[in-house]
Short mmCIF file of all heavy atoms in Angstrom, two decimals:
data_model
loop_
_atom_site.label_atom_id
_atom_site.label_comp_id
_atom_site.label_asym_id
_atom_site.label_seq_id
_atom_site.Cartn_x
_atom_site.Cartn_y
_atom_site.Cartn_z
N ASN B 13 9.23 -36.21 -62.91
CA ASN B 13 9.64 -35.02 -62.11
C ASN B 13 11.09 -34.69 -62.36
O ASN B 13 11.85 -35.00 -61.52
CB ASN B 13 9.16 -35.16 -60.72
CG ASN B 13 9.33 -33.85 -59.99
OD1 ASN B 13 9.88 -32.77 -60.56
ND2 ASN B 13 8.90 -33.77 -58.77
N ARG B 14 11.41 -34.14 -63.60
CA ARG B 14 12.87 -34.05 -63.89
C ARG B 14 13.61 -33.16 -63.01
O ARG B 14 14.74 -33.37 -62.66
CB ARG B 14 12.93 -33.59 -65.33
CG ARG B 14 12.50 -34.66 -66.25
CD ARG B 14 13.03 -34.67 -67.64
NE ARG B 14 12.41 -35.70 -68.42
CZ ARG B 14 11.24 -35.65 -69.01
NH1 ARG B 14 10.50 -34.58 -68.94
NH2 ARG B 14 10.78 -36.72 -69.66
N GLY B 15 12.90 -32.10 -62.55
CA GLY B 15 13.48 -31.18 -61.61
C GLY B 15 14.05 -31.91 -60.32
O GLY B 15 15.15 -31.73 -59.97
N ALA B 16 13.20 -32.78 -59.76
CA ALA B 16 13.69 -33.40 -58.49
C ALA B 16 14.81 -34.36 -58.77
O ALA B 16 15.78 -34.42 -57.98
CB ALA B 16 12.46 -34.19 -57.97
N ILE B 17 14.75 -35.03 -59.87
CA ILE B 17 15.87 -36.02 -60.28
C ILE B 17 17.13 -35.18 -60.39
O ILE B 17 18.21 -35.54 -59.87
CB ILE B 17 15.61 -36.67 -61.64
CG1 ILE B 17 14.33 -37.54 -61.49
CG2 ILE B 17 16.78 -37.54 -62.05
CD1 ILE B 17 14.50 -38.76 -60.58
N PHE B 18 17.05 -34.07 -61.15
CA PHE B 18 18.21 -33.26 -61.38
C PHE B 18 18.76 -32.82 -60.09
O PHE B 18 20.01 -32.93 -59.88
CB PHE B 18 17.67 -32.08 -62.17
CG PHE B 18 18.74 -31.08 -62.57
CD1 PHE B 18 19.77 -31.49 -63.52
CD2 PHE B 18 18.87 -29.80 -62.10
CE1 PHE B 18 20.75 -30.62 -63.90
CE2 PHE B 18 19.83 -28.94 -62.45
CZ PHE B 18 20.86 -29.39 -63.35
N PHE B 19 18.04 -32.36 -59.20
CA PHE B 19 18.59 -31.87 -57.92
C PHE B 19 19.13 -32.93 -57.04
O PHE B 19 20.07 -32.84 -56.38
CB PHE B 19 17.52 -30.91 -57.19
CG PHE B 19 17.49 -29.66 -57.84
CD1 PHE B 19 16.44 -29.19 -58.58
CD2 PHE B 19 18.59 -28.72 -57.56
CE1 PHE B 19 16.42 -27.93 -59.16
CE2 PHE B 19 18.51 -27.43 -58.15
CZ PHE B 19 17.45 -27.01 -58.92
N SER B 20 18.44 -34.08 -57.17
CA SER B 20 18.98 -35.14 -56.24
C SER B 20 20.39 -35.64 -56.70
O SER B 20 21.13 -36.22 -55.96
CB SER B 20 17.99 -36.30 -56.22
OG SER B 20 18.06 -37.00 -57.50
N LEU B 21 20.68 -35.32 -58.00
CA LEU B 21 21.99 -35.69 -58.42
C LEU B 21 22.91 -34.50 -58.47
O LEU B 21 24.15 -34.64 -58.19
CB LEU B 21 21.91 -36.21 -59.93
CG LEU B 21 21.27 -37.56 -60.02
CD1 LEU B 21 21.05 -37.95 -61.47
CD2 LEU B 21 22.12 -38.66 -59.31
N LEU B 22 22.37 -33.31 -58.63
CA LEU B 22 23.20 -32.11 -58.80
C LEU B 22 23.93 -31.83 -57.47
O LEU B 22 25.15 -31.52 -57.50
CB LEU B 22 22.29 -30.97 -59.22
CG LEU B 22 23.09 -29.69 -59.36
CD1 LEU B 22 23.87 -29.74 -60.75
CD2 LEU B 22 22.24 -28.45 -59.35
N VAL B 23 23.22 -31.80 -56.38
CA VAL B 23 23.92 -31.37 -55.18
C VAL B 23 25.18 -32.24 -54.76
O VAL B 23 26.21 -31.65 -54.61
CB VAL B 23 22.86 -31.37 -54.02
CG1 VAL B 23 23.47 -30.93 -52.70
CG2 VAL B 23 21.83 -30.21 -54.35
N PRO B 24 24.98 -33.51 -54.68
CA PRO B 24 26.23 -34.25 -54.45
C PRO B 24 27.32 -34.12 -55.40
O PRO B 24 28.50 -34.00 -55.11
CB PRO B 24 25.71 -35.78 -54.34
CG PRO B 24 24.38 -35.73 -54.73
CD PRO B 24 23.84 -34.41 -54.69
N LEU B 25 26.88 -33.99 -56.77
CA LEU B 25 27.92 -33.77 -57.76
C LEU B 25 28.65 -32.47 -57.54
O LEU B 25 29.84 -32.35 -57.75
CB LEU B 25 27.34 -33.87 -59.15
CG LEU B 25 26.95 -35.14 -59.64
CD1 LEU B 25 26.23 -35.11 -61.02
CD2 LEU B 25 28.31 -35.93 -59.74
N MET B 26 27.88 -31.45 -57.12
CA MET B 26 28.45 -30.08 -56.95
C MET B 26 29.48 -30.20 -55.86
O MET B 26 30.54 -29.70 -56.02
CB MET B 26 27.32 -29.04 -56.63
CG MET B 26 27.30 -27.87 -57.51
SD MET B 26 25.89 -26.95 -57.40
CE MET B 26 25.79 -26.53 -55.70
N ILE B 27 28.99 -30.79 -54.79
CA ILE B 27 29.89 -30.77 -53.69
C ILE B 27 31.10 -31.58 -54.07
O ILE B 27 32.24 -31.26 -53.68
CB ILE B 27 29.24 -31.47 -52.46
CG1 ILE B 27 27.99 -30.67 -52.01
CG2 ILE B 27 30.11 -31.58 -51.21
CD1 ILE B 27 27.12 -31.30 -50.86
N MET B 28 30.95 -32.72 -54.69
CA MET B 28 32.16 -33.47 -55.10
C MET B 28 33.08 -32.65 -55.97
O MET B 28 34.29 -32.69 -55.82
CB MET B 28 31.62 -34.75 -55.85
CG MET B 28 32.74 -35.77 -55.96
SD MET B 28 32.01 -37.40 -56.30
CE MET B 28 32.34 -37.44 -57.97
N GLY B 29 32.47 -31.93 -56.96
CA GLY B 29 33.27 -30.99 -57.82
C GLY B 29 34.18 -30.09 -57.01
O GLY B 29 35.32 -29.97 -57.23
N ILE B 30 33.38 -29.37 -56.17
CA ILE B 30 34.13 -28.39 -55.37
C ILE B 30 35.29 -28.95 -54.54
O ILE B 30 36.41 -28.57 -54.71
CB ILE B 30 33.08 -27.57 -54.40
CG1 ILE B 30 32.18 -26.83 -55.33
CG2 ILE B 30 33.82 -26.71 -53.51
CD1 ILE B 30 30.94 -26.28 -54.60
N PHE B 31 34.92 -29.96 -53.75
CA PHE B 31 35.87 -30.51 -52.87
C PHE B 31 36.97 -31.29 -53.72
O PHE B 31 38.21 -31.23 -53.31
CB PHE B 31 35.27 -31.46 -51.86
CG PHE B 31 34.63 -30.75 -50.75
CD1 PHE B 31 33.44 -30.15 -50.91
CD2 PHE B 31 35.30 -30.70 -49.49
CE1 PHE B 31 32.87 -29.47 -49.83
CE2 PHE B 31 34.69 -30.02 -48.42
CZ PHE B 31 33.48 -29.40 -48.69
N GLY B 32 36.58 -31.96 -54.71
CA GLY B 32 37.53 -32.67 -55.58
C GLY B 32 38.56 -31.70 -56.26
O GLY B 32 39.69 -32.00 -56.27
N LEU B 33 38.06 -30.54 -56.68
CA LEU B 33 38.99 -29.59 -57.29
C LEU B 33 39.95 -28.89 -56.36
O LEU B 33 41.03 -28.67 -56.57
CB LEU B 33 38.15 -28.59 -58.12
CG LEU B 33 37.49 -29.16 -59.37
CD1 LEU B 33 36.58 -28.02 -59.96
CD2 LEU B 33 38.48 -29.65 -60.31
N ILE B 34 39.33 -28.62 -55.17
CA ILE B 34 40.16 -27.98 -54.18
C ILE B 34 41.32 -28.96 -53.69
O ILE B 34 42.38 -28.71 -53.39
CB ILE B 34 39.35 -27.48 -52.98
CG1 ILE B 34 38.41 -26.41 -53.52
CG2 ILE B 34 40.29 -26.88 -51.92
CD1 ILE B 34 37.45 -25.91 -52.43
N ASN B 35 40.80 -30.17 -53.64
CA ASN B 35 41.69 -31.33 -53.27
C ASN B 35 42.47 -31.02 -52.00
O ASN B 35 43.67 -31.01 -51.88
CB ASN B 35 42.70 -31.52 -54.42
CG ASN B 35 43.08 -33.00 -54.50
OD1 ASN B 35 42.74 -33.75 -53.51
ND2 ASN B 35 43.65 -33.39 -55.49
N PHE B 36 41.70 -30.99 -50.91
CA PHE B 36 42.22 -30.64 -49.62
C PHE B 36 43.32 -31.56 -49.20
O PHE B 36 44.25 -31.16 -48.61
CB PHE B 36 41.07 -30.77 -48.57
CG PHE B 36 40.24 -29.55 -48.56
CD1 PHE B 36 38.97 -29.65 -49.18
CD2 PHE B 36 40.65 -28.40 -48.07
CE1 PHE B 36 38.12 -28.57 -49.18
CE2 PHE B 36 39.75 -27.28 -48.05
CZ PHE B 36 38.56 -27.34 -48.67
N GLY B 37 43.20 -32.86 -49.49
CA GLY B 37 44.12 -33.87 -48.88
C GLY B 37 45.56 -33.63 -49.34
O GLY B 37 46.49 -33.93 -48.60
#
Side-chain angles (χ1 to χ4, degrees):
Chain B
N13 189 350
R14 295 206 177 81
I17 297 293
F18 182 66
F19 280 106
S20 72
L21 290 173
L22 182 77
V23 172
L25 280 178
M26 228 165 67
I27 299 175
M28 196 160 100
I30 292 168
F31 280 77
L33 289 174
I34 297 174
N35 214 349
F36 284 102

